[in-house]
């Protein structure tokens, strides 16, 4: 990649330029050129609010205020309406590491119990957009439950009201913010390398506390993914700068970058020299070294391409700890060395299958012994057998045999008087469809056909025998 003469966001502001980075465009290619939409982070919260944010990131400028029929807190008419129309300064674009700030409350609306929507004159809280979940933290002593942006209006959802016009202090949850920064920069590295080696686009992105998920537009084999993973980590070790800029339109038109849109200005470019250049709206770490480590954790075929999951930074360390703990526990349970737990589990499976086969064989033998106690067809019309338990297949085979020998019913009941029985019943002479109606009237639950029934029966063996002897 060649040199990239651009003006940074911060520098632009210093020079008095209006640097409106990013609102109109999507991050990381999440928005497809054919008009596809972002994947939403925090879907539950989204559904709860009943808002359709799919087009939020594509909206330009500061349009209408956020919806909702809540009442204005301390609202007094025109002055406040004018205040709330002012543009919110997005501090997170100027410095992703800023966690403390003060701001003036432009409006506060009660949306529902314990949920108040607040608009500020400036904010360091990154709203949900581009597939990345919103920041959390504290604002004016209230918890920030969510932050949304729609039509350019950034709305903070709090668990309590704030006085309109007051200056309040805000603190961004740094642990969460930095974790997201590490994951997001790691994602750019991987997406940049995939794009470079295979030409695929990143067509889906989801970043939440639980998962980082990215979709690519073509298939990638296992060995190729290992190579991408290693190369991505080499980019981390190289401690490359992560450069953010808003190129002027003339420069932008000649620039090659991922997630290129039709927009000609106000595009925020995040570049990792030699690795990736992409239009993106999110805070990033200053250098690739801060990503710590990049580990791909899962891959599946998805819509003609692949869906990857990955972890970076502290999240990767925690993932390693968890897997190490699992390995140690399995090792102890199997009494094998950690490096041999796969063979240990395989041997355990084989022993289990052998034990199940032996159990089946013994159960069938037992059923045969118990069947020998049933009086023969020369002296009984029905063959009825009650056992504690028996394999379903063996029960069915024996009932079929008996149905051809006895003039009446052949049935085996498995269970006990206290808990009831499950049963299989057959007959060559009795209409089982009609019998089913009789049995259901007695509390049986059963289904089947003309010569066959199965289901469950309540009550005692004596009562069931009495019902069937009448048939
Ligand atoms: Zn991005």
């Amino acid at each position: 990649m060649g040199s990239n003469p651009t003006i940074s966001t911060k520098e632009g502001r210093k020079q008095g330029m209006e640097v409106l980075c990013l609102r109109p465009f999507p991050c990381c290619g999440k928005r497809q050129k054919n008009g596809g939409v972002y994947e939403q982070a925090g879907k539950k919260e989204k559904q709860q609010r009943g808002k359709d944010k799919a087009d939020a990131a594509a909206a330009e400028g500061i349009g209408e205020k956020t919806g909702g029929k809540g009442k204005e807190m301390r609202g007094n008419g025109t002055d406040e309406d004018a205040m709330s129309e002012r543009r919110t300064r997005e501090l997170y674009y100027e410095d992703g590491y800023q966690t403390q700030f003060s701001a003036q409350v432009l409006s506060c609306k009660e949306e529902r119990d314990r949920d108040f929507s607040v608009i500020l004159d400036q904010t360091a809280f990154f709203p949900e957009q581009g597939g990345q979940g919103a920041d959390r933290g504290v604002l004016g002593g209230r918890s920030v439950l969510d932050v949304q942006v729609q039509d350019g209006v950034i709305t903070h959802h709090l668990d309590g009201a704030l006085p309109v016009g007051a200056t309040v202090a805000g603190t961004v949850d740094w642990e969460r913010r930095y974790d997201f920064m590490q994951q997001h920069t790691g994602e750019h590295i991987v997406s940049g390398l995939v794009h470079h080696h295979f030409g695929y686009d990143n067509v889906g992105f989801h970043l939440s506390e639980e998962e980082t998920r990215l979709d690519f537009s073509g298939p990638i084999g296992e060995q190729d993914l290992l190579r991408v993973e290693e190369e991505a980590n080499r980019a981390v070790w190289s401690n490359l700068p992560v450069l953010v800029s808003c190129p002027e339109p003339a420069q932008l038109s000649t620039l090659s970058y991922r997630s290129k849109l039709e927009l000609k200005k106000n595009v925020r470019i995040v570049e990792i020299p030699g690795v990736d250049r992409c239009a993106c709206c999110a805070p990033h770490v200053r250098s690739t070294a801060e990503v710590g480590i990049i580990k791909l954790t899962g891959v599946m075929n998805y819509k003609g391409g692949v869906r990857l999951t990955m972890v970076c930074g502290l999240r990767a360390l925690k993932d390693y700890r968890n897997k190490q703990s699992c390995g140690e526990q399995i090792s102890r349970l199997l009494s094998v060395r950690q490096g041999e737990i796969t063979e240990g589990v395989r041997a355990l499976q084989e022993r289990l299958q052998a034990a199940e086969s032996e159990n089946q064989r013994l159960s069938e033998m037992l059923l045969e012994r118990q069947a020998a106690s049933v009086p023969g067809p020369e002296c009984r019309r029905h063959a009825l057998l009650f056992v504690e338990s028996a394999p379903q297949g063996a029960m069915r085979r024996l009932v079929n045999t008996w149905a051809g020998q006895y003039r009446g019913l052949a049935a085996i009941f498995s269970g006990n008087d206290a808990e009831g029985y499950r049963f299989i019943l057959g007959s060559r002479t009795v209409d089982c469809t009609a019998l089913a109606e009789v049995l259901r009237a007695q509390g049986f639950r059963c289904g089947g056909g003309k010569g066959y029934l199965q289901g469950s029966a309540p009550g005692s063996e004596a009562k069931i025998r009495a019902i069937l002897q009448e048939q």
Side-chain angles (χ1 to χ4, degrees), residues 26-30 130 132 184-185 187-188 205 258 270 278-282 284:
C27 164
C28 310
K30 308 328 164 280
Q132 176 170 328
H184 203 131
T185 302
E187 180 270 316
H188 274 225
F205 178 59
R258 290 192 300 113
V270 175
C278 182
C280 179
C281 60
H284 283 263

Side-chain angles (χ1 to χ4, degrees), residues 3 28 51 67 69 119 144 181 203 214 219 221 252 287 297 307 334 336 359 376 441 450-451:
S3 61
C28 310
K51 295 175 180 175
K69 298 176 181 175
I119 298 173
V144 178
M181 286 160 68
V203 292
L214 44 162
L252 190 68
S287 79
T297 53
R307 166 167 286 184
L334 296 178
V336 297
N359 183 50
K450 197 170 182 182

